[in-house]
Amino acid sequence: MWLSDILDRHCQQRGDAHAVVEGDRALTWLELRSAAHSLAAHLDETGIRHGDRVAVYSRNRIEVVVSYFALAHLGAPFVPVNHAMSPTEFADAAERMEIRHVLGERRPVERLGLPEDRTTVFDTEEFQKVLVAGRAAPPLAASLDDPLAVLLTSGTTGRPKGVLQTAGALRQMSLSWLAQARVDDSVRLLNLNSLSHGSITATLHYVAAGATLHVMREFQPRAVLRQITERGITHVWAVPQMLRFLMMAVGKDATVPNGLREIMFGASPMSPELLRDARRAFGCAFRNVYGMTEAGGTFCTWLSGKTEEEDGGVPLESSGRSVPGIRVEIHDEENRPLPPGEVGEVCVLAVGRMSHYVGDAEETRRTVVDGWVRTGDLGWMDAHGYVHLKDRKKDVIKRGGQNVFPAEVENAVAAFDGVADVAVIGVPDDVWGEVPLAFVVVEEGAAFSSDALLAFLHGRLSSYKLPKEARTVAEIPRNAAGKILRRVLAEQAGPAR
């Protein structure tokens, strides 16, 4: 099985090299395999079996990586969960994904109120003893055709959907990416993105090549800069908003001593100004990463030079072009390919795409048509195969690399006393790229406070989904079918205050 093969190969060839590093903690490849095998034995004794779905609910830390390898050995699909997800959101997802057990940090796990026999907490003495017990793993239970992970995403309703990916699909996507990016075991990757969503697939591509993975529990710009300088980091994986924070910490016209080869970014576009300033400060190449969890991960990329003179004609305003083994086209509504220059939906044909959405056959049929994944993104392709995104087909708000769906926020706001109607849109923000802005119609005679509403939403929504502001309006503009005219609201909104 793919993840077990990764461990065995690197233990055989470079077992004493570091596999994963978190601050002053580190595991070599031999130690990582030993910890994963010991945890697999422990979970097997608790009753976790082949096919059981197990959530991993934590910030980035070594134990998360160990858990993924242990669960993969058992053939128990791991379900990464963002540590900011509220207990209410988790309960809904857990029921629909049929999650049997939860591993994670004490604080988020204890908020769930689950029985002790359904949880395993990282930050306990008992768990840490398990990792160093040196136990033999049960017989390998997984195959390449087995589900490896259920990756939570969101649909138009805002409720997370479960993207089921097999081990074989991940292997195929890894081989495609490694052929493109030419990664080897000299890479030291600092992943600043969460290991709880689709970025885990990109991370595992580098792990497969023998790269050393560096993780941090919290994103702290100055600490990140120290890591880059002191730990010999060669690659950084971030979103543009994180780079903006890093540039604020660097300061105007300053440079950062480093050995970086690439800074990779994705989830949202990077402004030309930020790219220019970041290239000056770090003096390395930048790689745009365009992907989708349903498509198996990254399917388009470009790599800049260290300076504008070294870009080689790459259109940096594009999202890149397809990586080896993956076919990307622009299709019309009937799923027919369009010629260069015509705007349509970005569609992807990849062996590594998802198997299906868990428990949602109808949405699977809408998303995967004749084997093509319809991304929901509108764009066009130039004569050299570069994809240029035009607009989002759906109304997703991208706040700091996290997707926020208006319908989900609207449902939460509507539950507050005194709200007669509500609409949520994304508005530009210098720090986060976009932030949610709520428009509220108040019931006649109701006592309403924007501050009280925002306090009400805390704990009901993840922190990144909270509106920056709630504005009261007389009515919500809608079309004849009753759908919200978000374009009209955007024209009225102006910049978020």
Side-chain angles (χ1 to χ4, degrees):
M1 204 282 297
W2 182 231
L3 264 64
S4 294
D5 289 346
I6 290 171
L7 282 182
D8 290 343
R9 175 178 181 268
H10 297 317
C11 284
Q12 181 185 65
Q13 297 182 3
R14 49 199 305 272
D16 292 330
H18 281 160
V20 57
V21 178
E22 179 206 336
D24 295 330
R25 307 168 66 207
L27 293 180
T28 65
W29 288 104
L30 286 167
E31 290 167 340
L32 174 57
R33 184 172 65 176
S34 177
H37 284 184
S38 292
L39 179 56
H42 174 77
L43 293 174
D44 179 67
E45 287 181 351
T46 66
I48 302 302
R49 296 291 181 263
H50 182 278
D52 289 341
R53 295 173 187 155
V54 179
V56 182
Y57 194 14
S58 173
R59 295 172 296 173
N60 288 359
R61 54 189 290 168
I62 282 176
E63 289 83 355
V64 171
V65 180
V66 174
S67 297
Y68 292 162
F69 279 97
L71 292 167
H73 184 94
L74 294 174
F78 53 85
V79 187
V81 177
N82 191 315
H83 76 278
M85 180 179 277
S86 73
T88 301
E89 292 170 317
F90 182 93
D92 175 72
E95 180 179 2
R96 291 184 294 108
M97 301 303 129
E98 298 180 341
I99 291 173
R100 175 182 172 84
H101 197 84
V102 182
L103 291 87
E105 290 183 306
R106 182 186 301 277
R107 184 174 180 182
V109 170
E110 288 186 347
R111 288 189 305 168
L112 301 177
L114 295 173
E116 287 189 7
D117 61 356
R118 289 194 56 199
T119 65
T120 299
V121 177
F122 291 157
D123 27 10
T124 64
E125 184 177 349
E126 177 188 6
F127 184 86
Q128 296 303 317
K129 288 180 178 179
V130 167
L131 297 187
V132 296
R135 299 184 59 187
L140 181 65
S143 72
L144 286 173
D145 294 330
D146 283 335
L148 173 72
V150 176
L151 304 175
L152 296 180
T153 182
S154 294
T156 55
T157 63
R159 299 174 75 196
K161 296 194 293 288
V163 172
L164 191 148
Q165 189 174 49
T166 66
L170 176 64
R171 181 178 70 168
Q172 182 60 45
M173 295 302 288
S174 293
L175 295 176
S176 291
W177 182 253
L178 296 178
Q180 174 72 46
R182 300 181 182 179
V183 182
D184 59 30
D185 58 22
S186 69
V187 168
R188 301 181 74 88
L189 171 66
L190 175 57
N191 184 9
L192 301 178
N193 294 309
S194 173
L195 294 174
S196 67
H197 54 62
S199 80
I200 184 59
T201 58
T203 304
L204 288 173
H205 299 340
Y206 286 79
V207 171
T212 300
L213 173 63
H214 291 250
V215 296
M216 302 176 69
R217 296 191 194 182
E218 304 287 347
F219 173 73
Q220 298 175 339
R222 295 192 182 281
V224 170
L225 295 175
R226 287 195 298 272
Q227 288 266 326
I228 290 172
T229 299
E230 298 171 4
R231 296 297 181 95
I233 302 299
T234 64
H235 291 62
V236 173
W237 173 220
V239 298
Q241 286 69 30
M242 290 177 176
L243 290 171
R244 191 178 299 278
F245 284 124
L246 290 178
M247 291 307 301
M248 292 169 62
V250 170
K252 185 176 177 58
D253 298 328
T255 58
V256 179
N258 68 82
L260 288 173
R261 302 176 202 169
E262 292 181 19
I263 293 180
M264 302 177 291
F265 68 93
S268 61
M270 187 188 298
S271 70
E273 296 77 18
L274 179 57
L275 178 58
R276 179 198 63 222
D277 293 344
R279 284 208 285 195
R280 175 194 51 75
F282 292 99
C284 67
F286 278 72
R287 183 183 292 279
N288 183 73
V289 175
Y290 174 34
M292 181 181 182
T293 306
E294 290 88 334
T298 302
F299 51 82
C300 278
T301 187
W302 55 246
L303 180 65
S304 78
K306 295 182 179 180
T307 65
E308 291 182 10
E309 291 75 19
E310 299 175 16
D311 284 342
V314 174
L316 301 185
E317 73 282 1
S318 77
S319 295
R321 50 186 174 182
S322 62
V323 303
I326 298 176
R327 191 170 172 182
V328 179
E329 294 181 352
I330 308 298
H331 287 185
D332 63 15
E333 291 296 328
E334 282 70 46
N335 213 34
R336 297 173 301 197
L338 294 170
E342 289 198 23
V343 175
E345 187 169 355
V346 180
C347 295
V348 182
L349 187 65
V351 176
R353 66 166 171 81
M354 72 171 183
S355 295
H356 58 270
Y357 289 122
V358 174
D360 198 339
E362 182 178 351
E363 188 63 26
T364 301
R365 285 191 294 270
R366 281 197 292 264
T367 302
V368 183
V369 180
D370 297 330
W372 290 86
V373 174
R374 299 186 66 91
T375 67
D377 291 333
L378 297 178
W380 57 279
M381 185 178 287
D382 66 24
H384 300 288
Y386 286 94
V387 174
H388 300 253
L389 295 182
K390 184 75 173 177
D391 200 356
R392 286 189 295 273
K393 192 174 182 179
K394 302 172 184 176
D395 296 314
V396 184
I397 301 166
K398 293 198 172 182
R399 181 189 187 278
Q402 300 275 18
N403 286 348
V404 180
F405 287 82
E408 182 180 16
V409 184
E410 288 161 1
N411 290 336
V413 173
F416 185 68
D417 290 342
V419 173
D421 201 1
V422 58
V424 173
I425 65 170
V427 294
D429 183 85
D430 289 340
V431 174
W432 295 108
E434 281 186 307
V435 292
L437 171 64
F439 293 86
V440 176
V441 178
V442 180
E443 293 177 353
E444 186 175 354
F448 179 84
S449 162
S450 295
D451 290 341
L453 169 62
L454 296 177
F456 168 81
L457 295 175
H458 276 276
R460 290 172 171 80
L461 292 171
S462 300
S463 57
Y464 66 88
K465 299 177 184 177
L466 295 171
K468 184 174 183 179
E469 181 185 358
R471 299 183 187 177
T472 56
V473 293
E475 64 177 1
I476 302 296
R478 297 176 182 272
N479 64 14
K483 294 184 179 180
I484 298 169
L485 297 174
R486 301 185 195 276
R487 172 182 54 80
V488 175
L489 289 173
E491 292 171 355
Q492 298 174 357
R497 293 194 294 261

